[in-house]
Amino acid sequence: MTINIPATVFDGLVKWMVRGPWPEHFQEVIDDHLYAYCALHDLETFEEMAAKIGQHWVSVLNDMAMTDFLSRETEDGNVVDLYLKRRGWNEKAIPKAYLKAIRNSVISLYEVSDIYPGESFMARDLILGGDPILVEEQSGTKTMLQWEQFAMRIVEVRGSHIIAGGVLPYKPELTEQVIEEICLRADQAEIGFEEMFSEQNEYPEPELIQDLALAMVLKMSAPLFSEAWLAGTVLDPADVELPTLLNTEGDEIEFIQLHCSFAKGVTQKQLRVLLNDAPDMEAASSKIWNWVALPGDAPRSKPKQVGNMTYKAHMESGALA
């Protein structure tokens, strides 16, 4: 059975989010996706950007940013979670399932095949791997070509896979560059996961750690796909410089391990008491704490550097990690 998502699927959500902090959060996501390109070419409005790359692509990039926003956590929570909690009773089953699917989704790079114009295509995930999946799509399949590669979100709604948001065509050279960058970040993230599990005396299969690291990196790196496409499609892919991930202080994010020695006789119970009493520590489990900024001590964001992306994370309490 074909899943039909109504054109008005976001209407209720958009009307609701206008009254809260969400427009500001959405603008931050728009900046993450488009700021570097606009700053590089001295573009100040969507109209100026449309004149340079075309209105269609501006709309596609806006859709990419929208789905990224719907899947993000902010200091105010996730917009889809809160909307469905407070207004979900007003949504029908399929639109509600579609919003939930986007909320839990990640963007990836796919290679398409077995295209049936107006009906469907097969999509092979070039980053997460796995078997190709059947994707129901009408308009997009009319212009797709066998073995083309695209950046997009594919979500599952009631057993059917469909595209959510915009679709960006990728040249093979650019695909290779972005995959290499994503895998590099995932390799660094794996170290953190391995350390976390070992501290809990848990030793999952390496494949599970790899999957967790890739999923986390893809969740964080959605703007990379827009920025790389803008640079690699409008310019020569050989000249593309992928953005660097920065923290709110403008420093490059690195995955590190810090080891320290304890006095003889110190117990885990004593350490837990000490860390639980520390105002800048938030417990994530009995053996893991997050280091957070104290109220008033959160670093001020530096001006965004051209070609780079800023990433920040907040705890459920709203504290900046």
Side-chain angles (χ1 to χ4, degrees):
M1 181 182 70
T2 301
I3 296 293
N4 293 314
I5 306 298
T8 58
V9 64
F10 295 132
D11 287 1
L13 173 64
V14 171
K15 290 178 182 178
W16 177 81
M17 61 182 262
V18 167
R19 297 189 291 271
W22 309 111
E24 181 179 348
H25 291 316
F26 183 41
Q27 185 59 54
E28 291 175 357
V29 179
I30 289 285
D31 290 344
D32 287 344
H33 283 253
L34 305 181
Y35 180 90
Y37 181 81
C38 290
L40 182 64
H41 296 279
D42 196 25
L43 306 174
E44 297 183 354
T45 66
F46 283 120
E47 288 75 16
E48 291 177 354
M49 191 173 189
K52 189 169 183 66
I53 68 172
Q55 182 58 52
H56 169 73
W57 295 119
V58 172
S59 298
V60 169
L61 290 163
N62 186 71
D63 289 343
M64 301 285 282
M66 181 64 174
T67 50
D68 181 15
F69 168 61
L70 297 182
S71 71
R72 282 198 187 191
E73 290 289 344
T74 74
E75 55 261 46
D76 296 297
N78 174 267
V79 66
V80 171
D81 287 345
L82 293 175
Y83 170 69
L84 292 179
K85 180 179 179 180
R86 299 173 185 177
R87 299 288 297 177
W89 56 268
N90 200 37
E91 291 284 355
K92 294 182 179 179
I94 289 182
K96 187 185 297 185
Y98 181 62
L99 290 174
K100 288 181 178 179
I102 294 177
R103 188 263 182 274
N104 296 317
S105 68
V106 296
I107 189 172
S108 192
L109 287 166
Y110 294 88
E111 182 179 76
V112 303
S113 62
D114 299 330
I115 304 161
Y116 289 87
E119 296 183 15
S120 65
F121 64 93
M122 298 297 292
R124 182 169 68 91
D125 195 321
L126 299 175
I127 297 178
L128 294 175
D131 296 329
I133 57 175
L134 178 67
V135 181
E136 296 179 0
E137 172 64 20
Q138 296 182 359
S139 60
T141 50
K142 296 176 181 178
T143 56
M144 286 180 174
L145 298 177
Q146 185 84 343
W147 312 125
E148 272 193 306
Q149 298 164 355
F150 299 90
M152 55 187 169
R153 286 177 191 263
I154 296 177
V155 301
E156 184 176 355
V157 179
R158 293 196 167 186
S160 296
H161 291 95
I162 58 177
I163 297 174
V167 176
L168 292 174
Y170 260 58
K171 298 177 182 178
E173 300 91 340
L174 188 58
T175 295
E176 292 179 6
Q177 290 184 23
V178 172
I179 291 177
E180 182 178 355
E181 176 66 15
I182 292 294
C183 290
L184 177 61
R185 295 181 182 182
D187 288 342
Q188 295 171 333
E190 283 182 38
I191 298 174
F193 279 111
E194 290 171 353
E195 181 75 10
M196 179 186 71
F197 283 119
S198 65
E199 289 179 354
Q200 296 177 342
N201 293 319
E202 297 178 8
Y203 302 95
E205 293 294 327
E207 292 77 10
L208 174 61
I209 295 179
Q210 293 171 2
D211 291 344
L212 288 172
L214 272 175
M216 184 194 75
V217 169
L218 287 175
K219 198 78 169 178
M220 294 168 51
S221 303
L224 168 65
F225 293 86
S226 296
E227 290 196 319
W229 180 85
L230 279 166
T233 301
V234 179
L235 303 176
D236 185 344
D239 297 331
V240 174
E241 182 177 352
L242 294 175
T244 300
L245 199 60
L246 307 177
N247 64 15
T248 53
E249 294 180 293
D251 299 319
E252 184 173 350
I253 290 179
E254 297 182 33
F255 292 92
I256 64 171
Q257 298 181 61
L258 177 64
H259 300 269
C260 56
S261 300
F262 300 114
K264 186 177 181 180
V266 170
T267 65
Q268 291 189 26
K269 182 177 180 181
Q270 290 174 309
L271 292 175
R272 290 193 189 99
V273 171
L274 181 66
L275 292 172
N276 286 334
D277 288 342
D280 57 350
M281 291 287 171
E282 285 195 11
S285 71
S286 63
K287 294 186 178 182
I288 298 175
W289 284 260
N290 289 300
W291 184 18
V292 301
L294 294 172
D297 291 338
R300 294 184 177 180
S301 298
K302 291 184 179 180
K304 190 183 288 287
Q305 301 176 33
V306 174
N308 294 328
M309 297 187 299
T310 299
Y311 176 77
K312 59 181 178 180
H314 292 266
M315 303 294 100
E316 292 185 1
S317 63
L320 178 66

